[in-house]
Structures are given as structure tokens and as C-alpha cells.
């Protein structure tokens, strides 16, 4: 981000424009943390701001301050659409293509509001008036911190804002296991702790508050649904609607599930396929230099980071799994073997 961009965005925020924050469908910790941190910050600046998410915030993130101020389109789509229609300024947080906001896509893309992208994913697409895009940072939450810092407002970061930023960083780095190599991120963490963040408590709130049904779903996945393709150094889990219904599935229950197969020695690429109402949602994770984002973009209409990506399929769950198995066994076997040798 350039100093001119920061000055211009700061000026827009000072003009009393109706401002809307929005993030992607199926919000993860970075999406929720970024939106809530930015919302609380702008409220302190007395900006006329509203926050939108395509889907309800998962229960294990609702402890964050201002979480009850977010309009979820899956509960009140009309209100979310009205907020987009009336917006003068829209901040697009933690996504870089309009298609990532689900059924709000058309309203967002066709809005006449000034659009500001704040994101850390590669290869942004879409018509944004300002692009604060940096793939070197750990998370969009870290980028929100950098933005507040660039505005000269670090003093406004209180404990609640710091907790939201920390949650975004923690979850998008897998508790600092990836996307966490740059020293600057730990300087941000230090400041957040100085503002009152308790890392162990936040970890507990996010990861140690599973419902019994969610825990049993995870057990079912590991015992009955996980397939390990040893020769190809890959593994996957495929969940049908029947599986989800059996364990009283709620949005957010499968978050992080794709990471479990990567804990198996020798596995460098993992996938999770989840049957939704009209498509198959795909999540991919990898180790080393195997590019999960290229795999997703080439075969599953998706993208993301090198080691963490998402996509979708319009085929049946059975056919989607067959395609994945064939790709891993035939087209990518050598690349996966090479990736394994380098770890």
C-alpha cells in the first residue's frame, strides 16, 4: 500500500460515507477476525459502518466483541443486500474475487460504491478501486493491523480489537505452523499481547469448545472416511450430506478437518470434500513446495495460498472423488513424490 492510497482511503473514511465491511462465505477465523477488528476500529473513529458476512459466524468465534453486530445473509439476505445497495464505501476483507461472497456476488459486483480490497491471497481479480494486497503477510488480520498502523491509529487498538486480530493470525497460520516465517508478524503479536491478548485463552476459546456432535463427526471422519493413498503421499476425506446430517452438522464444524491427514507421516497433500446443497466444496492443504493453489485452480475452480487452497465441483461426490484419485495417482504422483523427498 502506498502513502497516497492510505491518505485517500483515510480521507474517504473522514467524509461520513456509509461504509460496509464484507468477507467471504463460510467465514474462517481470519475472515471473522478481520471484519470484527476493522468494525470496532471504525466505530472508534465514529465512521458510519456496518458489517456483512454471507454466512453466520461459527459458534467458536462468537465470543469476540461485536460478533452480534454482523448481518449474516443466510439469516437476513434482504438486509445485507440493502446495506450493499446503500453503501458509499465497501471494504472487501480476506477475499480477492467477487465470487467468494456467495449469493451476495451480484450485489457486491454491481454496487456503485468505492471498493477497497484488503487481502493476502495471490492473483486478485475483480474491479477494486483500491487494492491493499500483500501475499507476504500471514493473514488479512495482520494486514488490518498494518492498515490501522498506516493510519497512525495504533493507539486505538484496545484489547477487543487486539483479540480479533490475534484470532485471525492464529487461525490462518494453523497456530503459527505455516505462513508465519517473517519476523514482522511476531512484532505484531508482541504488541497485541501488550494490549491484553492472552494467547492460551484464545486458543482454548477457538479449539477447545467443540460440541459433542462436532467431536463425534471428527472421529467418524478419521475412523471411517479418511482414505490414505500411500504411494502418492496423499489422503482425503469425503463427507456426504448423510454424514453431515447424522452428526447434526452446523457451519464451521468441518473447519480445520482437512489438516488432520497431514499429520500422517509421508502425507504431503490432503483434501476434504463436503457435499453441499448444489455443489461439492473442496479444501486442500499441502506440505513443502507442492502447490495446492495451482492444483485447485487447474481442476476445482478455486485457488488460494501455495499450501492452503479451496475450490468446488459441480459433479457428484462420488465422481469428484474419482477425479481426485485419478489426478493424484496419474498426473501428480511424481510431483508429490518429489515434494516428499524435500521435506
Amino acid at each position: 500500500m502506498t502513502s497516497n492510497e492510505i491518505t485517500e482511503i483515510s480521507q474517504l473514511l473522514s467524509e461520513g460515507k456509509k461504509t460496509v465491511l464484507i468477507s467471504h462465505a463460510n467465514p474462517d477465523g481470519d475472515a471473522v477476525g478481520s471484519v470484527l477488528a476493522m468494525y470496532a476500529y471504525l466505530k472508534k473513529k465514529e465512521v458510519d459502518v456496518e458489517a456483512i458476512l454471507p454466512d453466520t459466524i461459527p459458534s467458536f468465534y462468537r465470543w469476540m466483541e461485536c460478533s452480534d453486530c454482523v448481518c449474516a445473509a443466510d439469516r437476513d439476505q434482504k438486509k445485507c443486500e440493502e446495506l450493499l445497495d446503500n453503501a458509499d464505501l465497501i471494504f472487501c476483507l480476506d477475499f480477492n474475487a467477487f465470487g467468494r461472497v456467495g449469493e451476495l456476488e451480484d450485489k457486491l459486483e454491481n454496487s456503485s460504491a468505492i471498493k477497497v480490497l484488503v487481502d493476502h491471497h495471490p492473483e486478485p481479480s475483480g474491479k477494486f478501486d483500491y487494492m491493499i494486497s500483500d501475499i507476504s503477510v500471514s493473514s488479512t488480520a495482520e494486514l488490518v493491523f498494518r492498515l490501522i498502523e498506516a493510519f497512525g491509529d495504533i493507539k486505538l487498538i484496545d484489547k477487543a480489537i487486539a483479540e480479533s486480530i490475534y484470532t485471525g493470525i492464529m487461525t490462518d497460520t494453523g497456530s503459527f505452523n505455516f505462513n508465519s516465517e517473517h519476523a514482522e508478524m511476531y512484532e505484531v503479536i508482541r504488541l497485541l499481547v501488550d494490549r491484553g491478548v492472552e494467547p492460551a485463552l484464545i486458543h482454548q476459546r477457538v479449539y477447545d469448545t467443540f460440541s459433542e456432535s462436532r467431536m463425534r463427526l471428527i472421529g467418524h471422519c478419521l475412523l471411517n472416511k479418511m482414505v490414505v493413498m500411500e504411494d502418492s503421499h496423499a489422503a482425503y476425506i469425503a463427507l456426504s450430506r448423510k454424514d453431515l446430517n447424522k452428526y447434526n452438522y452446523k457451519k464451521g464444524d468441518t473447519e480445520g478437518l482437512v489438516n488432520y491427514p497431514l499429520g500422517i507421516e509421508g502425507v504431503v497433500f490432503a483434501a476434504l470434500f463436503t457435499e453441499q446443497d448444489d455443489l461439492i466444496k473442496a479444501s486442500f492443504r499441502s506440505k513443502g513446495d507442492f502447490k495446492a493453489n495451482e492444483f485447485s485452480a487447474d481442476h476445482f475452480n478455486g485457488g488460494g495460498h501455495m499450501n492452503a487452497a479451496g475450490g468446488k465441483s459441480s459433479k457428484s461426490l462420488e465422481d469428484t472423488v474419482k477425479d481426485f484419485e485419478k489426478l493424484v495417482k496419474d498426473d501428480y504422483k511424481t510431483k508429490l513424490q518429489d515434494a516428499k523427498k524435500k521435506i
Side-chain angles (χ1 to χ4, degrees):
M1 59 186 126
T2 66
S3 58
N4 285 341
E5 287 177 319
I6 294 301
T7 299
E8 291 175 13
I9 295 170
S10 181
Q11 179 62 35
L12 290 170
L13 288 170
S14 69
E15 292 174 355
K17 296 184 181 297
K18 291 183 179 180
T19 301
V20 168
L21 313 177
I22 186 170
S23 193
H24 57 76
N26 299 305
D28 56 10
D30 195 19
V32 177
S34 298
V35 166
L36 296 184
M38 195 70 181
Y39 178 86
Y41 162 69
L42 292 179
K43 279 293 186 182
K44 280 194 164 188
K45 297 280 286 184
E46 298 185 348
V47 172
D48 181 3
V49 62
E50 300 284 353
I52 292 174
L53 285 172
D55 298 300
T56 302
I57 296 175
S59 60
F60 42 91
Y61 295 131
R62 286 186 212 140
W63 55 268
M64 283 186 274
E65 191 167 305
C66 299
S67 62
D68 58 348
C69 301
V70 176
C71 179
D74 61 348
R75 293 187 175 183
D76 194 344
Q77 182 158 338
K78 183 179 178 180
K79 180 180 177 181
C80 290
E81 291 179 348
E82 288 176 351
L83 289 172
L84 289 172
D85 284 339
N86 296 326
D88 301 310
L89 180 63
I90 299 174
F91 282 83
C92 301
L93 300 164
D94 200 40
F95 69 95
N96 59 16
F98 295 130
R100 294 284 283 117
V101 298
E103 294 184 7
L104 295 174
E105 177 181 359
D106 290 342
K107 283 290 184 182
L108 175 60
E109 186 170 8
N110 295 323
S111 170
S112 60
I114 297 168
K115 299 182 184 74
V116 181
L117 173 69
V118 183
D119 183 58
H120 72 132
H121 296 91
E123 300 179 4
S125 62
K127 294 182 179 179
F128 300 97
D129 298 281
Y130 295 92
M131 294 182 61
I132 301 172
S133 177
D134 187 350
I135 64 173
S136 70
V137 300
S138 65
S139 55
T140 298
E142 182 183 345
L143 205 50
V144 167
F145 175 91
R146 299 295 180 194
L147 185 58
I148 295 173
E149 180 182 45
F151 287 148
D153 284 335
I154 281 184
K155 62 184 180 296
L156 295 182
I157 297 179
D158 56 18
K159 182 178 180 181
I161 295 173
E163 287 179 334
S164 294
I165 293 173
Y166 183 88
T167 300
I169 296 173
M170 180 190 74
T171 54
D172 230 39
T173 59
S175 297
F176 311 103
N177 283 317
F178 48 83
N179 297 337
S180 56
E181 293 82 10
H182 61 292
E184 293 85 354
M185 183 198 72
Y186 295 97
E187 288 299 316
V188 174
I189 296 298
R190 180 191 62 78
L191 187 143
L192 299 177
V193 171
D194 284 346
R195 291 293 194 276
V197 164
E198 300 176 63
L201 180 59
I202 291 181
H203 190 280
Q204 177 183 326
R205 287 172 172 171
V206 173
Y207 296 114
D208 297 339
T209 56
F210 288 7
S211 65
E212 180 183 347
S213 58
R214 185 184 180 199
M215 186 67 80
R216 292 189 182 279
L217 173 62
I218 293 172
H220 170 65
C221 290
L222 299 180
L223 179 63
N224 303 312
K225 308 300 292 187
M226 184 171 65
V227 176
V228 179
M229 304 170 68
E230 189 173 348
D231 291 343
S232 301
H233 303 292
Y236 69 86
I237 295 169
L239 292 173
S240 67
R241 289 297 309 176
K242 183 179 179 180
D243 291 316
L244 298 175
N245 291 336
K246 180 178 180 181
Y247 293 97
N248 193 29
Y249 169 78
K250 294 180 176 59
K251 286 184 178 179
D253 281 356
T254 58
E255 184 172 336
L257 188 55
V258 67
N259 296 309
Y260 282 83
L262 282 184
I264 300 172
E265 184 176 3
V267 172
V268 298
F269 186 41
L272 171 66
F273 301 106
T274 309
E275 188 175 30
Q276 306 290 316
D277 292 334
D278 56 352
L279 56 82
I280 306 301
K281 179 188 173 185
S283 297
F284 303 103
R285 297 292 185 272
S286 66
K287 295 177 183 175
D289 61 6
F290 185 79
K291 297 178 180 179
N293 55 351
E294 288 188 5
F295 180 93
S296 181
D298 290 344
H299 305 290
F300 288 91
N301 303 297
H305 302 293
M306 183 173 80
N307 297 122
K312 59 186 177 181
S313 169
S314 59
K315 296 183 179 181
S316 68
L317 181 62
E318 182 180 1
D319 287 343
T320 299
V321 168
K322 286 181 180 179
D323 287 348
F324 176 80
E325 288 184 335
K326 187 175 187 304
L327 287 166
V328 169
K329 287 179 180 177
D330 297 340
D331 299 2
Y332 286 87
K333 185 173 182 178
T334 299
K335 288 184 178 181
L336 288 163
Q337 290 174 337
D338 290 343
K340 173 62 176 63
K341 291 176 184 177
K342 296 176 184 178
I343 296 175

